[in-house]
């Protein structure tokens, strides 16, 4: 399923460049708001390493700088065009590295992902949900102290839903994370977008 996803996002960044539209977001405000929600996973940490699955052109690195949270960062993305854009944009940032991949060779303290479960293209509902479960499993291994991800919500207005996007049930994913990964799980579904963020912290 990731083959098509990589090609889809490569097309976006080739058309719109290293910009929110280039990673298929409506604009910078939503992109930034998503990062703020995800990074609450590391709220109590003073020093940490960070992995990002689906890093796009590396906008999270800008967010970390702007918020005084620069730290050893490893971003991966299945789209070679995205990774090339990220490397070009952050060539002078010595603590950030980018790689074409869909997994991590070694764990970090925290692992985050923004927007990687939304575009399912022509994958079936069941196939995409299996994919989400496998990726969350991978994120659990990649973040020894915790991980966080977002997804479009099944509580969206029916008439606004699109057939090529996946709307996840937040309660099912909350339940799964609670049962499989940690007792400390937060479901954030109050930040004004048609989506939610799940934050899993391990003590
Ligand atoms: C919506 S974009 C968001 C990019 C970035 N996280 C941001 O918010 O600016 C999602 C990105 O994740 C990548 N992606 C999707 N699923 C992935 C996976 N399982 N592993 C690695 N990259 C993935 C896509 O190629 C795309 O660049």
């Amino acid at each position: 399923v990731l083959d098509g996803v990589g090609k889809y996002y490569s097309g976006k960044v080739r058309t719109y460049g290293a910009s929110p539209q280039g990673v298929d977001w409506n604009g910078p405000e939503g992109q930034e708001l998503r990062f703020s929600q995800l990074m609450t996973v590391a709220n109590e940490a003073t020093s940490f390493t960070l992995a990002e699955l689906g890093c796009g052109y590396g906008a999270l690195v800008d967010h970390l700088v702007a918020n005084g949270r620069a730290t050893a960062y490893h971003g991966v993305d299945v789209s070679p065009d995205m990774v090339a854009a990220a490397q070009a944009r952050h060539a002078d940032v010595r603590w950030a590295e980018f790689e074409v991949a869909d997994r991590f060779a070694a764990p970090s303290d925290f692992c985050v992902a923004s927007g990687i479960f939304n575009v399912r293209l022509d994958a079936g509902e069941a196939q995409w949900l299996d994919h989400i479960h496998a990726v969350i499993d991978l994120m659990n291994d990649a973040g020894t102290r915790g991980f966080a991800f977002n997804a479009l919500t099944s509580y969206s207005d029916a008439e606004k839903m699109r057939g090529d996007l996946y709307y996840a049930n937040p309660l099912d994913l909350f339940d799964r994370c609670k049962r499989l990964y940690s007792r400390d799980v937060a479901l954030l579904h109050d930040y004004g977008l048609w989506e939610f963020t799940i934050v899993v912290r391990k003590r």
Side-chain angles (χ1 to χ4, degrees), residues 152-153 155-165 167 194:
L152 296 173
T153 178
Y155 289 81
S156 299
D157 291 346
E159 67 275 12
K160 297 235 174 80
M161 290 183 172
R162 270 170 45 189
D164 58 332
L165 301 180
Y167 298 85
W194 298 104

Side-chain angles (χ1 to χ4, degrees), residues 2 5 9 23 25 31 35 52-56 59 77-79 82 101-102 114-116:
L2 282 180
V5 170
Y9 283 104
V23 284
W25 293 135
Q31 183 182 35
F35 290 147
E52 184 185 15
L53 191 62
C55 60
D77 201 291
V78 286
S79 159
M82 283 295 181
D102 64 356
S114 187
I116 70 168

Side-chain angles (χ1 to χ4, degrees), residues 11-191:
K12 290 287 170 191
V13 73
R14 273 193 235 126
T15 307
Y16 298 106
S19 66
Q21 283 74 20
V23 284
D24 220 11
W25 293 135
N26 289 335
E29 297 82 9
Q31 183 182 35
E32 195 56 25
L33 182 55
R34 293 179 180 98
F35 290 147
S36 304
Q37 305 295 321
L38 291 168
M39 286 309 298
T40 60
V41 71
N43 264 0
E44 288 166 24
T46 43
S47 94
F48 58 90
T49 57
L50 182 64
E52 184 185 15
L53 191 62
C55 60
Y57 62 88
L60 178 56
V61 169
D62 299 314
H63 172 91
L64 294 172
V65 171
N67 289 276
R69 305 203 85 184
T71 189
Y73 164 98
H74 186 186
V76 303
D77 201 291
V78 286
S79 159
D81 296 84
M82 283 295 181
V83 171
Q87 285 166 338
R89 186 182 173 91
H90 302 293
D92 56 344
V93 181
R94 268 191 254 130
W95 45 269
E97 56 178 42
F98 304 93
E99 186 192 352
V100 181
D102 64 356
R103 64 202 61 221
F104 302 95
S108 298
D109 289 321
F110 298 106
C111 180
V112 295
S114 187
I116 70 168
F117 298 137
N118 301 352
V119 173
R120 72 179 160 101
L121 302 175
D122 51 6
E125 293 260 335
Q127 184 189 15
W128 193 252
L129 185 58
D130 283 349
H131 167 71
I132 291 178
H133 290 165
V135 171
I136 294 173
D137 225 36
L138 174 165
M139 292 186 71
N140 176 51
D141 291 339
T144 53
R145 295 167 67 186
F147 65 96
F149 60 90
N150 53 39
L152 296 173
T153 178
S154 56
Y155 289 81
S156 299
D157 291 346
E159 67 275 12
K160 297 235 174 80
M161 290 183 172
R162 270 170 45 189
D164 58 332
L165 301 180
Y166 186 81
Y167 298 85
N169 184 319
L171 307 182
D172 288 351
L173 288 179
F174 173 84
D175 178 65
R176 188 176 179 87
C177 289
K178 192 102 173 136
R179 281 187 294 105
L180 297 184
Y181 306 124
S182 175
R183 298 168 68 165
D184 292 343
V185 180
L187 169 59
L188 312 176
H189 204 328
D190 61 348
Y191 53 97

